[in-house]
Amino acid sequence: MRLTCPLCGDRDRREFYYYGAEDYLHRPVEGAPVADWDNYLHLRDNPAGVTKDLWYHEAGCSQWLLVTRNTVTHEISAVELVAERKA
Amino acid sequence: MRYSGLKVITEGLLGNKGWTPAWRDPAPKAEYDVVIIGGGGHGLSTAYYLAKNHGITNVAVLEKGYLGSGNIGRNTTIVRANYFLPGNSEFYSHSMKLWEGLEADLNYNVMHSQRGLINLFHSDGQRDAFVRRGNAMINQGDDAILLDRDGVREHLPYLDFDNTRFPIYGGLLHPRGGSARHDAVAWGYARGADKRGVDLIQNCEVTGIDIDGGVVRGVQTTRGAIRAKKVGIVVAGRSSQVAAMAGMRLPIESHVLQAFVTEGLKPVINHVISFGMGHFYISQSDKGGLVFGGDLDFYASYAARGNLPMVEHVMEAGMTLMPMIGRAKVLRSWGGIMDMSPDGSPIIDKTHVDGLFIDCGWNYGGFKAVPASGWCMAHLMATGESHEVAAKFRLDRFATGHLLDEEGTGSQHNLH
């Protein structure tokens, strides 16, 4: 599997660290109810198909990436910079 | 039909014409007392113990493929009871006791072999942790023996003891650990359940769960609707999808775990060996193949195959530990879909729907748990109360903070 980093180009999977589902981008605010934290940390849609998850380009540009990919075929359809997405 | 040595001999003399199918192939009835979704190891053992322990025989097991077509046939067959945390320890201890009586109970040869499991350690700190784990195992009533370097050498003279990165300091020997024939476990439970009246229905995929007023009423399947008073979800790698049919979002992320087997060799590895620092473990099957595996591929996946970086890593770890296997040829590799929970421990619990139960989150430790998982799931479904050895496997423990993080690695799904 290879990921195309928006900054570094087409790179080997081993350059990246997988963190988890997109849910990690939606951190609850301080004082949020326990259910929100449970959703954020534990509960997952976990689709067999297209999903979005977070990868860190550890051996490259050190950017966090939001990757759209298929969990059944391993096909990657989009890679976005998390930093730009928030801006 | 009861299987025995005498039966094998007489059938051999009579041309093997007297063997009958090990289970029926019934069409689904319109209604059952209990429907189990999933005809793998855990689903079949649940059905078996519902019938045997609780006398509930109006039961159907619905399997979308063929019996035992999922992870029960895609694992590395290790059986052990070397857990540390209260909540896990008594459960796996119970499972080990069931394994020890399983063949007599099922009248089926599951080739359970207590050849001994050795977990290697490579530092003073790791030794201390293993002493503590070994004491927990002994306190639980199981067995553990701390081996020093020479002790390990007596058992496993072929390891590379002087490896500069991970020199072997010793190992924790679990004599009752070992392995079993994975497919035979599914077949034995299937046969036992069928004999007690359970309908095993294959090629029957569940497409919906009927819920009315917060109470489960049955399931929709590719072979029609089936009404049921109670429904159990026991589907391992597809837990999130089936639970979603009941409106649930599970604390599960699915990952692929690879394993490998070499060509058949003469007996060379007599134990199950685990090399935690290299994420590598190995045993030799009765057929002669070296069966070994490593860690997850680390990203969420439903592809029952892995990627090459982990293949390379596992081979490197194997060569680091025991250079003697370098010339063995790998015959096959495969991947199984692990339902990873955020604390690495499983779930056997009721759900928010009355009459709907779930057994999932086995991470990559599901095989050894097959007997006790079925035992405890059957107990829960029959009595409505958690079995005492599975009382901490609660679905809501992540929200309440009662985690069972055996490895102490935090709440990230792929780190267990």
Side-chain angles (χ1 to χ4, degrees), chain B residues 344-386:
Chain B
S345 294
I347 294 159
I348 303 177
D349 206 352
K350 301 173 190 175
T351 68
H352 69 292
V353 178
D354 216 18
L356 182 67
F357 303 82
I358 190 160
D359 179 317
C360 69
W362 290 97
N363 294 267
Y364 30 64
F367 179 69
K368 63 185 169 291
V370 162
S373 167
W375 184 284
C376 296
M377 181 67 167
H379 181 93
L380 174 68
M381 293 188 74
T383 66
E385 300 294 328
S386 290

Side-chain angles (χ1 to χ4, degrees), chain A residues 1 12-14 17-21 23-24 34 38-39 41-49 53 55 69 71-74, chain B residues 238 240-241 249-255 297-303 305 307 309 312 342 398-399 403 411-415:
Chain A
M1 192 159 89
D12 191 289
R13 177 260 175 276
R14 277 171 287 195
Y17 171 78
Y18 171 85
Y19 185 38
D23 304 56
Y24 282 127
V34 168
D38 192 30
N39 256 315
L41 281 171
H42 308 126
L43 305 184
R44 294 291 177 259
D45 289 339
N46 194 25
D53 43 27
W55 298 68
R69 62 185 187 94
T71 57
V72 178
T73 63
H74 292 170
Chain B
R238 292 283 165 167
S240 294
Q241 281 72 46
R249 194 166 181 251
L250 293 181
I252 299 286
E253 189 171 277
S254 297
H255 285 259
D297 274 24
F298 286 118
Y299 49 87
S301 172
Y302 283 88
R305 57 185 160 69
N307 244 308
E312 185 178 34
F398 305 100
L403 302 187
S411 65
Q412 202 174 319
H413 299 75
N414 61 343
L415 294 187

Side-chain angles (χ1 to χ4, degrees), chain B residues 152-278:
Chain B
V152 174
R153 207 185 281 273
E154 262 180 51
H155 287 278
L156 313 171
Y158 44 76
L159 300 183
D160 181 4
F161 283 81
D162 301 318
N163 182 288
T164 48
R165 181 65 186 86
F166 295 117
I168 294 169
Y169 277 38
L172 188 64
L173 169 65
H174 174 34
R176 285 162 69 212
S179 71
R181 169 87 200 277
H182 51 3
D183 294 321
V185 177
W187 298 334
Y189 275 118
R191 177 169 167 270
D194 175 87
K195 202 168 83 179
R196 286 169 170 79
V198 172
D199 282 358
L200 308 175
I201 299 163
Q202 307 182 60
N203 300 310
C204 181
E205 182 172 354
V206 169
T207 55
I209 298 175
D210 296 332
I211 298 162
D212 180 21
V215 181
V216 76
R217 301 293 180 192
V219 293
Q220 299 291 325
T221 79
T222 50
R223 295 180 70 175
I226 301 173
R227 292 192 301 280
K229 297 185 183 76
K230 291 178 184 174
V231 174
I233 300 172
V234 195
V235 294
R238 292 283 165 167
S239 295
S240 294
Q241 281 72 46
V242 177
M245 293 174 193
M248 295 163 68
R249 194 166 181 251
L250 293 181
I252 299 286
E253 189 171 277
S254 297
H255 285 259
V256 63
L257 179 72
Q258 300 191 64
F260 309 85
V261 64
T262 69
E263 60 193 331
L265 304 170
K266 287 186 176 178
V268 58
I269 295 175
N270 193 32
H271 304 69
V272 179
I273 306 165
S274 113
F275 171 39
M277 296 312 290

Side-chain angles (χ1 to χ4, degrees), chain B residues 86-88 90 346 386-394 397 402 404:
Chain B
N88 279 331
E90 60 265 43
S386 290
H387 190 278
E388 60 180 359
V389 301
K392 295 195 173 175
F393 295 162
R394 307 308 295 265
R397 69 175 182 270
H402 295 86
L404 286 168

Side-chain angles (χ1 to χ4, degrees), chain B residues 268-344:
Chain B
V268 58
I269 295 175
N270 193 32
H271 304 69
V272 179
I273 306 165
S274 113
F275 171 39
M277 296 312 290
H279 307 293
F280 177 84
Y281 54 94
I282 188 166
S283 63
Q284 186 167 20
S285 78
D286 290 353
K287 211 160 66 178
L290 304 181
V291 181
F292 56 97
D295 217 329
L296 299 175
D297 274 24
F298 286 118
Y299 49 87
S301 172
Y302 283 88
R305 57 185 160 69
N307 244 308
L308 291 173
M310 191 49 73
V311 177
E312 185 178 34
H313 178 84
V314 170
M315 300 302 161
E316 286 172 353
M319 286 300 290
T320 299
L321 181 67
M322 43 176 80
M324 72 165 184
I325 65 172
R327 292 194 181 180
K329 293 186 175 68
V330 174
L331 272 190
R332 287 182 290 121
S333 70
W334 64 93
I337 306 306
M338 312 290 110
D339 42 338
M340 301 298 295
S341 69
D343 63 357

Side-chain angles (χ1 to χ4, degrees), chain A residues 3 6 11 17 33 39 44 46 48 56-57 60 63 67 71 75 81 83:
Chain A
L3 292 177
R11 306 302 280 247
Y17 171 78
N39 256 315
R44 294 291 177 259
N46 194 25
Y56 177 64
H57 199 177
Q63 287 295 308
V67 177
T71 57
E75 183 191 0
L81 291 173

